[in-house]
Amino acid sequence: MTALLEVAGVSRHFRGLAAIADVSFRVDAGSICSLIGPNGAGKSTLFNLISGFLPLHGGSISFGGARIDGLSTVRIAERGIARAFQIARPFPGLTVAENVRVGALFGRSGARDVAKVVTEALSLTGLAEAAAQPAASLTVGYLRRLELARAIAARPLLLLADEPCAGLNHTETEEIVVLLREIRARGVTVLLVEHDMAAVMRISDRVFVLDAGSKIAEGTPAEVAADARVIAAYLGTPEAG
Ligand code: ADP
Ligand code: MG
């Protein structure tokens, strides 16, 4: 089986600091995978490398069997990778629907069926009733939905979601979990960075654990939760074994 996304021996440093050191993992088509790890582990850097915001210093990244490292952010988006940011960056003067329309004009949507793509993305994310409101009027929970709506309006094959549940209460978190499952059910593979461990454990098929730039564990949620190195990394104690 070919992985949809294959990260192979990837490295990235910032001056002397190895932010990502020889990290490898694969994301199978149709799965929901999560990237977890303590603050500073390198999760956002990895998303920046996959989406082309930062160049690699080693290794390779392939998508659908073809190399994408070295391509521009625009080309990578066109191949079918969309990113939802933790801090939503809507155009505050535009309405909710207009913001989603901007997303629909990028990625794989192109200029085709823009109105239909926008309507579907708004309906899927529960934003249909808020469509005509200015984006600036949304609560944090709804801004997070808008960020996801904007990303899926590009009709991606892979959604990179950076902490979609950060700062949300229990109910809002549950709603985002349900939404991510619906996005997956529509054929979009999902790679998450998420701090809410309960959400990660419920939603993920596979979890990759980073610590200080290295992958220290990988497996099902139950496997990584029982891993001594993972527990040590989270407790901040010296490595066990
Ligand atoms: P995480 O998202 O897991 O919290 P990051 O990927 O943001 O971690 O950061 C990993 C490490 O790389 C941290 O030590 C951080 O300070 C450093 N880092 C990230 N981006 C930059 C940058 N643009 N310049 C310098 N150092 C950076
Ligand atoms: Mg981060």
Side-chain angles (χ1 to χ4, degrees):
M1 187 175 180
T2 316
L4 178 63
L5 177 74
E6 176 140 28
V7 171
V10 165
S11 300
R12 169 74 208 199
H13 52 81
F14 295 108
R15 297 196 179 84
L17 174 83
I20 290 292
D22 194 19
V23 168
S24 300
F25 62 87
R26 43 191 292 166
V27 175
D28 286 332
S31 64
I32 298 182
C33 294
S34 294
L35 205 51
I36 67 169
N39 265 338
K43 307 179 295 293
S44 295
T45 299
L46 205 39
F47 267 17
N48 284 331
L49 295 171
I50 295 168
S51 49
F53 281 82
L54 284 174
L56 279 57
H57 290 149
S60 65
I61 300 177
S62 300
F63 185 65
R67 290 276 293 265
I68 55 165
D69 53 277
L71 298 184
S72 67
T73 54
V74 173
R75 291 278 173 270
I76 290 172
E78 285 169 356
R79 296 281 177 101
I81 299 181
R83 183 170 179 184
F85 290 92
Q86 177 185 347
I87 312 292
R89 304 162 183 180
F91 298 101
L94 299 186
T95 66
V96 168
E98 285 164 347
N99 268 278
V100 176
R101 190 161 189 280
V102 172
L105 295 173
F106 287 95
R108 292 172 62 246
S109 292
R112 290 181 299 120
D113 298 336
V114 166
K116 184 168 164 244
V117 166
V118 170
T119 306
E120 282 172 3
L122 288 171
S123 138
L124 180 63
T125 53
L127 287 171
E129 285 175 17
Q133 283 180 34
S137 71
L138 296 181
T139 62
V140 176
Y142 274 81
L143 276 173
R144 213 52 72 62
R145 285 161 183 264
L146 176 56
E147 193 56 28
L148 290 170
R150 201 152 63 103
I152 61 170
R155 301 203 312 138
L157 300 170
L158 175 68
L159 170 68
L160 303 176
D162 202 346
E163 301 204 29
C165 302
L168 303 187
N169 67 30
H170 183 76
T171 309
E172 292 165 331
T173 296
E174 192 53 40
E175 288 166 357
I176 295 289
V177 165
V178 169
L179 174 55
L180 290 169
R181 287 209 181 100
E182 283 173 6
I183 289 172
R184 188 258 295 267
R186 277 162 173 76
V188 181
T189 303
V190 179
L191 180 59
L192 285 179
V193 163
E194 186 49 64
H195 269 297
D196 186 320
M197 220 34 73
V200 166
M201 294 298 156
R202 275 207 311 289
I203 200 175
S204 311
D205 297 310
R206 213 159 174 78
V207 180
F208 313 113
V209 189
L210 287 181
D211 185 30
S214 297
K215 187 180 82 174
I216 60 164
E218 165 177 354
T220 63
E223 285 165 355
V224 301
D227 189 295
R229 289 187 71 182
V230 176
I231 295 164
Y234 272 88
L235 296 179
T237 55
E239 269 176 30

